[in-house]
Amino acid sequence: MEYVSSAGNISQEEFLAIAGSNASYGGEVGGGSLALGGTIVGMLNETLGSAAASAAGTESGAGENLTLLHGAYPSGYTLPHIIIASIIVTILMIIIVVGNMLVIIAIATEKTLKNIQNWFIASLAVADFFLGLVIMPFSLANELMGYWIFGSWWCDVHSAMDVLLCTSSIMNLCLISLDRYWSITKAIEYLKSRTPARAAFMIAAVWIMSALVCIPPLLGWKAKRPEGDLPQCQVGTPMLKTQCWN
């Protein structure tokens, strides 16, 4: 067997030597190519793996952020909780407003109920009526949303009225208790001294003392509101922070 080239004829031994050297060179080059190819494939696998892990982490973080942003309001309540709480508290507010309004109308119109001891009950009903009509709706919105949207001026007025009505409601209960106690322990003496003028004075004293508690914040004696991304409205004094209808 002979190999014909442009340079001329070569022998079989020379051809085998050339083929062997070419095979050896090809093996070295092929092995190097395979090694290089394996390295490149490994690098690609690592890159793809890290990219997939990063993508998974990004999707997880984005999901968590979406949950924090869209799954709940700043107050922390979800939409079903807000709907349920709104329905329940709205029913309670209607009961409070209508019930106390009926008490006031009954005492004001029925002659048999126009006695002095029922004046204290009427005073209590007035406080609870405005509490359910003016305070509770805005407090409910503030609680469920987690921030105050009704302006700084109404925040001051709302907080003052909240303290006024809650304090007067508590003090009217104390006045009713004292009236019942004195009526039992000092029946004759107290009933003689409990004139309409004195009863009106006691009721006025209750409302005046309640007003003395709530007026100073309106005159500037109050704590500064904490600064934040969302406006907040709460009573500055920690002891008065909890609303009486909670």
Side-chain angles (χ1 to χ4, degrees):
M1 180 178 181
E2 295 180 351
Y3 175 73
V4 181
S5 68
S6 61
N9 296 333
I10 60 175
S11 64
Q12 184 177 2
E13 290 78 12
E14 292 176 347
F15 174 76
L16 292 176
I18 294 174
S21 64
N22 289 336
S24 176
Y25 176 76
E28 292 176 357
V29 174
S33 300
L34 290 174
L36 180 61
T39 303
I40 294 174
V41 170
M43 293 176 64
L44 287 174
N45 288 334
E46 291 179 358
T47 304
L48 290 174
S50 61
S54 300
T58 303
E59 290 176 0
S60 176
E64 293 177 359
N65 292 333
L66 289 175
T67 300
L68 291 175
L69 290 175
H70 301 289
Y73 289 86
S75 60
Y77 297 109
T78 60
L79 184 59
H81 293 160
I82 291 177
I83 294 174
I84 294 173
S86 300
I87 294 173
I88 294 175
V89 179
T90 301
I91 295 173
L92 291 176
M93 287 190 292
I94 294 173
I95 294 173
I96 291 172
V97 172
V98 175
N100 286 284
M101 182 177 62
L102 293 176
V103 171
I104 296 171
I105 293 174
I107 295 175
T109 56
E110 293 292 332
K111 292 182 179 181
T112 57
L113 297 177
K114 290 181 179 180
N115 50 53
I116 297 176
Q117 64 180 5
N118 287 335
W119 290 10
F120 306 126
I121 298 176
S123 178
L124 175 63
V126 169
D128 292 340
F129 171 79
F130 285 105
L131 187 66
L133 183 65
V134 179
I135 302 302
M136 290 182 64
F138 298 97
S139 298
L140 175 64
N142 185 42
E143 176 67 23
L144 294 181
M145 291 188 297
Y147 59 97
W148 184 260
I149 64 171
F150 304 106
S152 176
W153 177 82
W154 181 245
C155 174
D156 293 335
V157 176
H158 179 271
S159 299
M161 291 185 64
D162 189 2
V163 176
L164 170 65
L165 295 174
C166 289
T167 306
S168 63
S169 179
I170 295 171
M171 296 185 72
N172 275 303
L173 287 173
C174 295
L175 184 59
I176 292 172
S177 300
L178 288 174
D179 177 70
R180 295 294 182 267
Y181 175 76
W182 288 331
S183 298
I184 294 173
T185 57
K186 301 178 181 180
I188 299 176
E189 296 177 2
Y190 176 69
L191 293 177
K192 288 182 179 180
S193 61
R194 191 184 64 182
T195 61
R198 289 187 179 181
F201 174 79
M202 288 189 288
I203 294 173
V206 165
W207 285 94
I208 291 173
M209 287 187 289
S210 301
L212 291 177
V213 177
C214 74
I215 286 178
L218 293 177
L219 300 178
W221 188 19
K222 59 183 177 180
K224 293 183 179 179
R225 296 191 184 91
E227 296 181 357
D229 296 333
L230 297 174
Q232 301 293 329
C233 180
Q234 60 186 19
V235 179
T237 305
M239 292 184 299
L240 300 177
K241 184 176 180 180
T242 303
Q243 296 168 348
C244 63
W245 60 273
N246 286 338

